[in-house]
Amino acid sequence: MKVKNGQSVGIDEIEVATYESFYADVNNLIEQQPSAHCVNYFAVPQDGGKFQLLCCIANDDEKIIDVLSTVVEKDAKLPSLTAMHRAFHPFEREMHELYGLDFDGHPWLKPLRFPHDRANNGTIYDYPFFNIQSEEFHRVGVGPIHAGIIEPGHFRFICEGEKIHHLEIQLGWQHRGLENVFLKKDNVLQRATLAEQIAGDTVVGHSVAFAQAYESLAGIEVGEKLSVDRTIALEQERIAIHTGDLSAICTDIAYQLGNAVFGRLRTPMINYFQKWCGNRFAKGLIRPGKTNFPFTRQLADDWKDTIAKYKPHFIEMAEEMFDLPSVLSRIERTGVVSAETAKSLGLVGMPAKAAGVARDIRASHPYAAYSKIDVNPVVKKTGDVYARARVRYEEVLASIENIEKLIGIADWSQDKSGYQPVMDAKLGANRFVVSLTEGWRGEICHCALTDGEGKIKAYKIKDPSMHNWMGLALAVRNNGISDFPICNKSFDLSYCGHDL
Amino acid sequence: MLESLKIWLHQGKQYIPDVTTTDVPGVFRGRPVITNAEVDEEALAKMCPMGAIGTHPMTIDLGRCSFCGECAFACPEKVKFTKDYKLASNTREGLIVRAGEDKPIELDETKIRPEIRKLFSKSIKLRQVSAGGDASCEMELNATGNVNFDIGRFGIDFVASPRHADGIVVTGPISENMAAPLENAYDCTPDPKVLILVGMDAISGGLFEDSEAVNRKVLDKYKVDLYVPGNPTHPLTFVNAMLSLLGKKNR
């Protein structure tokens, strides 16, 4: 079954194949299409102890998503897709952990996030770490609580002297049971609030993905202006977070000027959201079918003023940073990810673009108002910290241009004045939808399934971090352990978005 | 070098001179004011995604409120969010805003442990622990240390080890998987110490209150010294909360 981004279809329209033919079809799609990549793959429990597996493979060239499905028994031995294509590893690990499904030949069938409803009874302290028995190596454990004010996760390094041979990242500490809470809280405002909390640094990215999925299931038409507003918000979120990330990258190489200047430049960017919707992270801005905060002409003028003051300082600081030998010596050739690794692990967002893989949902599966502006992904070749920082710099400038274009096409007369009540819409029965957005961190995917009464029976969230954590683990190999923080920051992955 | 000096010169002074009185830009939703207007309070309470609204007389619990402002949009004659960013209290009760009251939220001075001001009023080091936090409160706590808010000028700092700290700042609803590490960090902090909850998730559990993946038992064991509301907590809210707890004037 081929669908477009955000298009809902009847569950019955999706062909249910045997696992053997499902496995062959998925393999074929991945192997025959260089741009094909798995955006989500999960299991939904069915009556009688069976599980329906749903796999969504995005084809960037044809701008469609292939949805494949099969039904399996709990105790079946299933040949692992990861054995063929490593990009499937987190998805199969999740199904194994939650339901005990056995993926034969999976090279790394370890717990993913220790959810409260996992099939095995081990605790998060029973994680089977990889180990090397040798007197030459020593192990370094870091976390779950880190030195800075960031989320928790455990890193286990195997080092020879200062050189990292292997890094294993153990997550799950942040698991809040979000997908289950999402099903229990069946009011649309609660769900919109939860979508904002999936990853609190990607509020717009995730809540637009939720809004699209919800609107599609409910058959709500979104006006052109509302689409433009959302697109502006997505681009503004990218500007704000990238600016803060550049500040943090400077912190990790002890470049005080860059840290201070980018840090203070981030303030007017997130304060812009406060001017727009009363919250510096845009919480409350995106709601299905409506917004309480239309992007007005006055806000557009305000944005232009804010950017006019921001841009020259931002460019001046960035040009200095990327020209300074003491900065370059720390970020060039550090934490390298090759294009080959990026493709085989299915990396998305900055680590992919920095390695030369032009994967960007804004261009390949346009949504909101992206079809009205041309988005050309910023792509670099070297795949190192430098390239990932450089992608941020150039994406900020590109996002400024994108917002300028969007302001140019905004039809202000479409703004609805006055309060519109919250929509608790009736959703179509037995429907399925895939909703993709490109957050600042990379590709976000939300999948929703409704039951016979139009209630959501499964809601699966995929943050880009799900793909990229393994990329970080491989990027730091053969680097000095003191370069780990800068590698980590250049990926800037979400713990809560992964752990849910 | 010359380029660096130029940037320095171009930046000028960026700090906020007085963090206790500065105005926040735009439509910031801070302390709500509830009027005595007669409206369908049950409908408002039902609409609130966080269950923060109580009825007859109407109340808003800032420990639950996500400050989305939906109630103020639906019923502007009943609820108005002001730009007052001083939202913190040292009692859970102090976070409840009641109909007909329009007064600042203040700390109950009688309930502040005397050793807090005696020992920490000139310098306090804090260890932050995120326990299921969504990274927004964490980013705002980081922002308190940037050149704009510059919380360091008051002798307030975040440190890397709980052993170097005078207190623990918790964000997030406290996931089951983080409950033990959080308690560990608290135990490792030398006495006397303070415990501060930041954000609606830490204070009430938010939408995760009844999630099976959350374990908030640790909060029953220890005294909480400060509740700082927000979704996420604005840096000015946190800075002012600390100044109030420590009995410091803006200098």
Side-chain angles (χ1 to χ4, degrees), chain A residues 107-147:
Chain A
W108 204 249
L109 203 52
K110 296 194 180 195
L112 190 70
R113 58 168 83 96
F114 291 91
H116 64 95
D117 48 353
R118 57 190 176 265
N120 61 51
N121 349 310
T123 76
I124 198 159
Y125 299 99
D126 302 327
Y127 185 88
F129 284 101
F130 177 75
N131 198 7
I132 298 175
Q133 297 296 338
S134 161
E135 291 195 355
E136 307 292 318
F137 296 109
H138 66 279
R139 283 186 289 167
V140 183
V142 179
I145 303 177
H146 300 283

Side-chain angles (χ1 to χ4, degrees), chain B residues 202-239:
Chain B
I203 297 171
S204 67
L207 288 167
F208 304 103
E209 189 182 16
D210 45 14
S211 168
E212 288 165 67
V214 158
N215 177 357
R216 297 173 57 76
K217 280 184 202 141
V218 61
L219 294 180
D220 301 336
K221 283 205 238 167
Y222 306 107
K223 180 181 157 37
V224 177
D225 295 293
L226 193 59
Y227 300 91
V228 196
N231 175 38
T233 301
H234 195 283
L236 287 171
T237 307
F238 184 76
V239 177

